[in-house]
Amino acid sequence: AQKVTQAQTEISVVEKEDVTLDCVYETRDTTYYLFWYKQPPSGELVFLIRRNSFDEQNEISGRYSWNFQKSTSSFNFTITASQVVDSAVYFCALSLWDSNYQLIWGAGTKLIIKP
Amino acid sequence: DGGITQSPKYLFRKEGQNVTLSCEQNLNHDAMYWYRQDPGQGLRLIYYSQIVNDFQKGDIAEGYSVSREKKESFPLTVTSAQKNPTAFYLCASSHPRAGGDQPQHFGDGTRLSIL
């Protein structure tokens, strides 16, 4: 069975702290894609990153970085020097080769950045 | 600018009434999706369409109906059979390339409440 687990329901940190959001996935497929989305209070989901199963290279984009480890089936997201504008719900999702374009979503992690 | 437009932003339904949520995209995407999001929870797929005049049920299709007469439009009707319609509804679209590697792009959502 395919599944995405975001065990952290809510995280609260003070501005400028670093924070890591965990994502663990389950699949027996060898070809798959992982995504992170951000949902600010306005409600729209914003695509952040896509990673395919053959590319374990970590990625950094400004204050955001992603750590993909197939050995532990994890695709964690770290925000460095967090800012109040980072406050949102973050979703991790999994897409399979034969998924018929459907995404398997995690439950989301609500991130609160306090000033 | 290309994007997805959902309307209305807020919608109220009376008992026994059918209501229709609009979703229009100008991204030239073939695939479109409808999700339901309940407070503090992740996204659940209602219906999806890979091409005009074709659509498939998602995980929670009961009480909902859709049509896909035009590539740009994918309206969702919440029927009176849906006994608990209060939720946040999100529409998305993507290029349906084989392999499921294309990210979905989302509209701003519609909040539906029962009067």
Side-chain angles (χ1 to χ4, degrees):
Chain A
Q2 288 72 234
K3 186 179 178 182
V4 175
T5 301
Q6 294 180 258
Q8 303 150 308
T9 304
E10 184 174 305
I11 301 174
S12 180
V13 301
V14 177
E15 196 172 22
K16 297 183 183 176
E17 287 185 11
D18 298 347
V19 58
T20 296
L21 283 61
D22 297 333
C23 174
V24 174
Y25 62 92
E26 295 176 29
T27 179
R28 292 184 177 179
D29 288 30
T30 56
T31 303
Y32 52 88
Y33 299 88
L34 294 161
F35 301 81
W36 275 97
Y37 286 83
K38 174 182 180 179
Q39 186 178 38
S42 58
E44 177 185 357
L45 267 80
V46 178
F47 165 67
L48 296 178
I49 191 172
R50 171 188 60 215
R51 173 65 72 223
N52 75 60
S53 54
F54 297 107
D55 181 4
E56 286 193 73
Q57 190 171 5
N58 293 330
E59 182 154 341
I60 298 174
S61 176
R63 296 183 296 105
Y64 294 175
S65 63
W66 290 269
N67 180 262
F68 176 33
Q69 291 194 329
K70 287 180 75 171
S71 60
T72 55
S73 297
S74 65
F75 185 41
N76 296 337
F77 173 30
T78 297
I79 301 175
T80 303
S82 60
Q83 299 176 2
V84 172
V85 293
D86 295 326
S87 297
V89 180
Y90 291 85
F91 290 96
C92 181
L94 168 69
S95 175
L96 304 175
W97 178 259
D98 61 351
S99 67
N100 218 11
Y101 319 123
Q102 294 185 51
L103 286 173
I104 300 160
W105 294 86
T109 295
K110 183 175 183 179
L111 178 61
I112 301 169
I113 310 296
K114 300 176 185 175
Chain B
D1 286 341
I4 299 176
T5 301
Q6 289 188 241
S7 62
K9 196 171 181 68
Y10 299 94
L11 186 59
F12 298 92
R13 195 192 89 170
K14 294 180 181 178
E15 289 285 339
Q17 186 182 43
N18 292 353
V19 292
T20 297
L21 285 61
S22 171
C23 177
E24 302 278 333
Q25 55 99 358
N26 60 5
L27 298 168
N28 200 32
H29 287 166
D30 285 307
M32 297 187 74
Y33 315 80
W34 274 106
Y35 291 96
R36 169 177 172 145
Q37 186 178 28
D38 292 282
Q41 300 196 23
L43 280 68
R44 292 187 290 170
L45 183 66
I46 305 173
Y47 269 99
Y48 65 100
S49 169
Q50 298 171 20
I51 199 168
V52 174
N53 292 322
D54 183 61
F55 48 83
Q56 308 294 329
K57 292 182 179 180
D59 300 321
I60 55 165
E62 186 174 348
Y64 301 97
S65 66
V66 294
S67 63
R68 187 84 188 277
E69 298 176 1
K70 297 188 300 181
K71 185 176 184 177
E72 302 79 19
S73 179
F74 191 40
L76 173 74
T77 296
V78 184
T79 74
S80 57
Q82 173 51 247
K83 299 305 179 188
N84 183 23
T86 298
F88 186 52
Y89 291 86
L90 284 157
C91 178
S93 71
S94 72
H95 281 299
R97 269 196 354 213
D101 68 335
Q102 294 300 297
Q104 294 181 12
H105 300 266
F106 286 80
D108 289 341
T110 294
R111 292 193 184 278
L112 176 62
S113 303
I114 297 179
L115 279 177

